[in-house]
Amino acid sequence: MTTTTGPLATRRLILQGAASVALIGLGNLPFAASPARAAANDKYPEDAFKQKSEADAIKALYGKSAEPSDKVKLDAPEIAENGGVVPVSVTTTLDKVTSISFLVAENPFALAASYKFADGTIPGVANRLKMAKTTKLVAIVEADGKLYSATKEVKVTVGGCGG
Amino acid sequence: MASSIRVRANANGDITEVQALIQHPMDTGLVKDSKGELIPAHFIQELKFECNGKDVFVANWGTAVSKDPYVKFSFKGAKKGDELKISWTDNKGASDTTTAKIA
């Protein structure tokens, strides 16, 4: 674990350093800097999908951690007979939701799906996920710049990894 | 070729409910075939729903989304007859696009 976080952490520091240097350089052009940043956020978060643990994936995706909230409603079966197809959905009563993500803690790569919501899109989504084995399922809702989470344990009788 | 995307969009008052089903293997890259060789990862990375020139819903997917993925969501601001454009791209650069009329 330390061997993987070590170089990653340094890389992040270097990136942060580079970003702040760039920001100083563009100090007189603040409007040029912000659209570039927004574009970077719209890209496919490849790094986040490669993280093995759910905490690392949340950090890579959002750069902060989430607090549990009863306003996030995560709906998943108690027992999934087929881990290859587990119907999962999230609804929330939170305002200003910009994204919802699903993480499966025991999967080889924790982050399963991340959805972005525009203004006027109702904050809720249903989809079907694969689960390797009995696992904790985490839903993250990003609302008004903060992260909220809900967790549920799903028992898997036949894993979704085939083979 | 028939489209890989099947979509149903129904407006009920101001709210449009969208359900989409896409045909895609969603291979994880971790499963071996009958000869014991790894099946390379092949999965949809991005799925976009666009209505009246605005991205209403964007999905970023990893390998843990089930084969032949299904997704459902709702949005406001569209009416019957409006067009909804759906497009996806996968990790091998393949893509597909379709449009559906909101019913």
Side-chain angles (χ1 to χ4, degrees):
Chain A
M1 206 56 226
T2 38
T3 47
T4 52
T5 49
L8 260 181
T10 8
R11 202 178 70 118
R12 192 141 296 152
L13 275 177
I14 292 164
L15 282 173
Q16 268 170 8
S20 49
V21 168
L23 279 177
I24 294 161
L26 290 169
N28 52 348
L29 287 168
F31 294 108
S34 44
R37 206 178 154 167
N41 285 344
D42 283 345
K43 261 180 66 181
Y44 181 72
E46 190 128 26
D47 201 35
F49 278 106
K50 283 185 182 149
Q51 301 299 322
K52 300 216 183 310
S53 85
E54 103 231 33
D56 286 347
I58 295 168
K59 226 185 279 167
L61 191 62
Y62 294 111
K64 52 197 161 195
S65 54
E67 56 174 278
S69 166
D70 56 7
K71 287 182 178 155
V72 179
K73 203 172 156 279
L74 172 60
D75 198 15
E78 296 273 331
I79 297 171
E81 275 183 24
N82 178 2
V85 190
V86 185
V88 168
S89 68
V90 162
T91 50
T92 177
T93 51
L94 291 160
D95 267 344
K96 294 185 192 165
V97 171
T98 47
S99 85
I100 293 181
S101 299
F102 292 95
L103 297 106
V104 184
E106 298 290 334
N107 269 10
F109 304 103
L111 183 60
S114 178
Y115 298 94
K116 278 180 240 160
F117 292 81
D119 262 1
T121 302
I122 290 149
V125 60
N127 61 7
R128 300 194 294 219
L129 304 178
K130 292 177 215 167
M131 292 181 191
K133 52 184 161 189
T134 296
T135 180
K136 192 173 82 174
L137 173 71
V138 184
I140 304 282
V141 173
E142 187 186 32
D144 206 7
K146 286 206 186 74
L147 297 184
Y148 303 92
S149 69
T151 309
K152 189 167 180 179
E153 181 91 9
V154 178
K155 284 199 174 70
V156 176
T157 39
V158 181
C161 283
Chain B
M1 200 185 102
S3 173
S4 65
I5 307 170
R6 278 171 53 198
V7 66
R8 181 174 294 170
N10 289 318
N12 189 356
D14 191 32
I15 294 173
T16 305
E17 186 185 86
V18 182
Q19 281 175 290
L21 193 60
I22 301 162
Q23 268 176 25
H24 199 282
M26 297 300 283
D27 287 319
T28 60
L30 306 164
V31 180
K32 288 177 180 151
D33 64 14
S34 51
K35 288 181 207 131
E37 282 167 40
L38 274 183
I39 302 166
H42 187 199
F43 59 99
I44 293 174
Q45 289 188 315
E46 193 177 74
L47 169 70
K48 222 184 244 189
F49 294 82
E50 211 181 306
C51 187
N52 299 328
K54 191 176 124 184
D55 285 352
V56 289
F57 186 75
V58 179
N60 285 316
W61 281 346
T63 53
V65 172
S66 299
K67 180 183 182 226
D68 298 335
Y70 162 85
V71 68
K72 177 177 150 185
F73 72 97
S74 303
F75 70 100
K76 287 182 193 167
K79 54 186 187 309
K80 280 189 206 300
D82 283 358
E83 279 205 340
L84 183 71
K85 186 179 159 202
I86 303 106
S87 54
W88 60 258
T89 44
D90 69 20
N91 66 322
K92 291 184 174 175
S95 63
D96 198 6
T97 305
T98 192
T99 50
K101 260 207 168 60
I102 294 169

